[in-house]
Amino acid sequence: MGLGNVFVRSVVREVGRNYGKAVSNSLLGDKHSTPIRVVNHLGANTGGRNYKNQLEKICKTWQVKGAIATFNVAQNMYKSFFDLVEESQSDGIIDVNEILDLMENFSMMRPQLKKVELALEQLDKKDLANKVDELDDSLFDFFVELNNGFILPPKPKGIFKSKKKKTWELHQSIKENLQKWTDDYNSSKKNN
C-alpha cells in the first residue's frame, strides 16, 4: 500500500472516529468525555444533503467507457459519499437520521462500486480494480470508526419517557446495524 493510500485511509478513519464521538456526545452530553461538543440536541432540523442526488445519479447512470473512465466513476462515487459526510457534519448538529441516511447511501452505492471493480477486472486492469477495492475498504473503515465512537446511553426509564424511548430504540437499531457491518467486515478481512 502506497504512502498516499495510508494517508487517505487514516483520514477516513479519523473522520469516522470523530463523527462517532460527536454522535455519542449528543446522546450522552456531559456524561461522556470526548473533546467534541455538539451544540444542539439530537433530532433538530439539519441542513439539506446537497450531494445525495449526485451520488444517486452516478450510481444509476454510470457505464463502462474504458478503464480510466470506469475507474473515475469509482472515485466520483467515493468523493460524493464523503461530500455527504461533510454535509452531514457541516451544520454542527449530529443527527442519528443523518447516520441512517449515510448508511442507506452506502448500501445503494456499494453494489455499484463492486460492479465497477468487476468491470475493471474484466478489462484486465487488475491494478485499478485493486484501487477500487481499497476505496471500498476505506469506506468500511469509516463505518468501523463510526461504530467504535458511537456509544449508546442507557435506555430511558419512566412512564413519561415514551418519546425518548422511541428515539433510543432508533439509536439502538442503528448501533446494532453498525456493529453487524463492523463484525462482517472484520470477519471478511480475517478470511482474506
Side-chain angles (χ1 to χ4, degrees):
M1 185 181 312
L3 183 58
N5 289 335
V6 171
F7 176 75
V8 168
R9 290 185 79 164
S10 68
V11 169
V12 167
R13 283 192 303 271
E14 185 66 24
V15 169
R17 183 174 18 260
N18 291 343
Y19 199 57
K21 286 180 181 181
V23 169
S24 292
N25 274 345
S26 67
L27 291 172
L28 298 171
D30 291 333
K31 296 176 187 173
H32 183 329
S33 60
T34 63
I36 298 173
R37 294 283 180 230
V38 180
V39 177
N40 288 321
H41 69 282
L42 193 64
N45 292 334
T46 60
R49 288 165 190 80
N50 297 335
Y51 299 99
K52 181 177 181 179
N53 292 333
Q54 181 65 23
L55 181 60
E56 280 183 302
K57 181 179 177 185
I58 293 168
C59 289
K60 291 182 179 181
T61 62
W62 75 274
Q63 298 175 359
V64 177
K65 294 183 179 179
I68 299 298
T70 303
F71 177 69
N72 287 342
V73 167
Q75 289 181 312
N76 290 337
M77 286 179 191
Y78 183 85
K79 181 190 178 307
S80 293
F81 178 80
F82 280 102
D83 284 345
L84 284 171
V85 171
E86 183 63 33
E87 180 69 25
S88 296
Q89 299 182 88
S90 68
D91 58 6
I93 301 169
I94 304 301
D95 188 332
V96 74
N97 291 318
E98 291 174 323
I99 295 174
L100 184 58
D101 186 58
L102 290 172
M103 293 173 75
E104 289 170 353
N105 276 290
F106 176 73
S107 295
M108 175 216 26
M109 178 187 68
R110 186 160 189 263
Q112 299 305 314
L113 195 62
K114 295 312 270 181
K115 287 178 184 179
V116 169
E117 183 180 346
L118 179 62
L120 290 167
E121 287 173 358
Q122 291 173 347
L123 291 170
D124 291 327
K125 295 295 183 178
K126 187 71 175 158
D127 58 328
L128 294 177
N130 288 339
K131 288 180 182 180
V132 172
D133 188 49
E134 289 174 11
L135 293 176
D136 185 51
D137 286 346
S138 181
L139 287 160
F140 268 107
D141 287 342
F142 167 78
F143 283 106
V144 167
E145 292 302 326
L146 179 61
N147 179 58
N148 292 341
F150 190 126
I151 299 172
L152 193 62
K155 187 173 184 176
K157 296 179 182 175
I159 59 173
F160 299 109
K161 308 264 185 203
S162 65
K163 185 175 180 181
K164 287 185 178 183
K165 285 180 184 176
K166 287 180 183 176
T167 301
W168 183 87
E169 288 168 355
L170 174 63
H171 289 82
Q172 179 189 31
S173 172
I174 290 172
K175 175 64 176 171
E176 287 172 356
N177 283 320
L178 283 170
Q179 187 63 52
K180 181 176 180 341
W181 284 12
T182 298
D183 293 344
D184 291 349
Y185 174 69
N186 289 334
S187 175
S188 73
K189 285 298 162 189
K190 286 180 185 177
N191 293 334
N192 288 340

